[in-house]
């Protein structure tokens, strides 16, 4: 690939500003060549703020109007599949904001389009890319903390009723789910990227306070293939907010406590008795000084593009996280223990996270 990677931004609302800032921080490796939004005033303001020459009202016009290598989907979740298919159909790579799709069925459709296209589809999961997450994956690989035994994966956030006034929030058809799908996905995805694949989930969900059709709270117990048991809580009802990951190994507890992004200072380690020196030696290893954030992931995406490799986070890995989310809903709404592979095309939870229906409120008809 010669010259800067040419990026198009689809949807110029809140998260698109974060994308633009992170792309700008990567210097002349990348240029925002165009943007689109159905709201004309937003795309114009975005162009002005970030010095983007070309602005359009939709993705088709963007793809027709500018030569692009990659589009970033910063649109509401219910649009990701169609927009991904539009770009992949023209051989343009896609980096989609989370969640990558509303359902496993949609993600499998994107996978088929990716195979036919030769271009790659990737999902934003910026917390995987911080230096200490990389450090922890390396320590698991070299065994210096001993075996992982148990973990906690909490997304305890607070969203007032007014948050749900944005029309795409709080419903199954456009947002795709509540905190399990839209918020806890970050922590669950990071946890799985560190500890490895899951093998079973049992869960409960509730709509306890917010004016939504989805859940506003879920609890799950996830068994991983390596036998680790993980307690997962996803909440939008928690005034004292935290994103909390805790990993208990034989020789140490490693904790990450932050809200929307972390630096090295958000991580801590507590040695088990008798392991103070070897754990201190392991803790001193690098990398140091690289926090999580979109910029760290975008740099990895550019590296992959330049090397002709699939872009991170690759689809099979993002699918495993989406399948866990579908499994949490399926377990919560049916009482079943759910394993990978259980949610195939015959399951109601394949085409929608709502599946056979939440036990509260009215069930909303799915689009055909
Ligand atoms: N990775 C993260 O930490 C993170 C944080 C916040 C949001 N997100 C994700 O980013 C996505 C967008 O969230 P947001 O908070 O920026 O929402 P937003 O509502 O602020 O912005 C979405 C934009 O998309 C535009 N849009 C709607 N339909 C469109 C269409 N057909 N074509 C082009 N643009 C269209 C809207 O006009 C709006 O400007 C969601 O998937 C959300 O889950 C990710």
């Amino acid at each position: 690939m010669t010259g800067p990677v040419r990026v198009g931004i689809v949807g110029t609302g809140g998260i698109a500003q974060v994308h633009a800032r992170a792309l700008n921080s990567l210097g002349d490796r990348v240029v925002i060549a165009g943007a689109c939004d159905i709201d004309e005033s937003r795309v114009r303001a975005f162009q002005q703020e970030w010095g983007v020459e070309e602005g359009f009202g939709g993705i088709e016009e963007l793809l027709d109007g500018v030569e692009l290598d990659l589009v970033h989907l910063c649109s509401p979740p219910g649009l990701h599949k169609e927009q991904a298919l539009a770009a992949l159909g023209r051989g343009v790579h896609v980096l989609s904001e989370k969640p990558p799709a509303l359902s496993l069925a949609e993600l499998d459709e994107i996978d088929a389009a990716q195979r036919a296209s030769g271009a790659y589809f990737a999902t934003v999961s910026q917390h995987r890319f911080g230096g200490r997450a990389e450090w922890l994956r390396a320590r698991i690989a070299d065994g210096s903390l001993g075996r992982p035994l148990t973990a906690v994966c909490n997304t305890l956030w607070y969203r007032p009723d007014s948050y749900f006034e944005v029309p795409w929030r709080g419903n199954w058809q456009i947002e795709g789910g509540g905190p399990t799908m839209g918020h806890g996905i970050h922590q669950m995805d990071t946890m799985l990227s560190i500890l490895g694949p899951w093998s079973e989930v049992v869960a409960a969900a509730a709509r306890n306070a917010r004016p939504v059709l989805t859940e506003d709270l879920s609890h799950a117990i996830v068994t991983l293939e390596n036998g680790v048991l993980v307690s997962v809580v996803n909440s939008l009802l928690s005034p004292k907010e935290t994103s909390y990951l805790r990993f208990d190994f034989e020789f140490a507890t490693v904790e990450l406590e932050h809200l929307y992004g972390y630096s090295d200072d958000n991580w801590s380690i507590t040695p088990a008795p008798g392991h103070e020196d070897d754990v201190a030696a392991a803790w001193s290893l690098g990398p140091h000084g690289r926090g999580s954030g979109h910029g760290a992931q975008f740099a990895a995406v550019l590296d992959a593009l330049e090397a002709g490799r699939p872009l991170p986070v690759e689809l099979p890995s993002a699918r495993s996280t989406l399948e866990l989310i579908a499994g949490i809903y399926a377990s919560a709404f049916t009482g079943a223990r759910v394993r990978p592979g259980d949610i195939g095309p015959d399951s109601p939870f394949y085409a929608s996270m709502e599946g056979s229906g939440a036990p509260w409120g009215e069930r909303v008809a799915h689009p055909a």
Side-chain angles (χ1 to χ4, degrees), residues 294-307:
H294 285 72
Q297 178 167 4
F298 295 173
V301 167
L302 294 184
D303 291 345
L305 259 180
E306 285 159 9

Side-chain angles (χ1 to χ4, degrees), residues 249-253 270-279:
F249 294 87
E250 281 178 286
F251 310 146
T253 294
T270 305
H275 290 277
E276 291 78 3
D277 292 345
D278 44 311
V279 165

Side-chain angles (χ1 to χ4, degrees), residues 105-148:
E106 284 197 357
L107 201 58
D108 289 347
E109 228 181 297
I110 294 172
D111 193 21
Q114 175 181 245
R115 287 166 199 273
S117 150
Y120 293 119
F121 176 88
T123 303
V124 173
S125 187
Q126 70 269 23
H127 301 313
R128 283 193 187 204
F129 293 85
R132 285 283 98 179
E134 190 182 312
W135 170 87
L136 189 50
R137 285 190 283 266
R139 298 295 71 75
I140 290 174
D142 70 19
S144 54
L145 303 178
R147 281 192 305 126

Side-chain angles (χ1 to χ4, degrees), residues 5-8 31 33-34 54 62-70 92:
V5 171
R6 295 172 61 80
V7 170
V31 61
E54 305 283 352
L62 173 67
L63 292 166
D64 284 343
V66 195
E67 198 182 316
L68 296 173
D69 301 304
L70 170 68
V92 174

Side-chain angles (χ1 to χ4, degrees), residues 126-140 145 151-152 186-187 189-195 242-249 252-270 279 282-285 287-293:
Q126 70 269 23
H127 301 313
R128 283 193 187 204
F129 293 85
R132 285 283 98 179
E134 190 182 312
W135 170 87
L136 189 50
R137 285 190 283 266
R139 298 295 71 75
I140 290 174
L145 303 178
V152 173
H186 281 302
Q187 270 60 249
D189 185 76
T190 306
M191 179 274 292
L192 291 175
S193 83
I194 290 169
L195 290 177
T242 184
S243 304
Y244 181 63
L245 286 176
R246 173 182 169 129
F247 306 90
D248 289 305
F249 294 87
T253 294
V254 177
E255 291 171 278
L256 166 60
E257 186 150 22
H258 68 116
L259 195 51
Y260 303 135
Y262 61 78
S263 67
D264 288 3
D265 294 343
N266 295 102
W267 291 79
S268 64
I269 194 161
T270 305
V279 165
W283 186 239
S284 70
L285 297 172
H288 298 288
R290 172 161 41 88
S292 67

Side-chain angles (χ1 to χ4, degrees), residues 13-15 37 42 74-75 79-80 83 97-98 126 168 186:
I15 203 65
D37 198 299
R42 275 200 191 170
C74 300
S75 47
L79 299 172
H80 293 170
Q83 293 175 336
E97 263 300 345
K98 59 79 193 165
Q126 70 269 23
W168 61 266
H186 281 302

Side-chain angles (χ1 to χ4, degrees), residues 38-60:
I38 47 165
D39 182 331
E40 191 182 340
S41 63
R42 275 200 191 170
V43 75
R44 297 289 164 240
F46 184 84
Q47 287 180 260
Q48 210 162 18
E49 165 113 33
W50 300 105
V52 178
E53 278 186 18
E54 305 283 352
F56 302 90
I59 189 170
E60 296 291 348

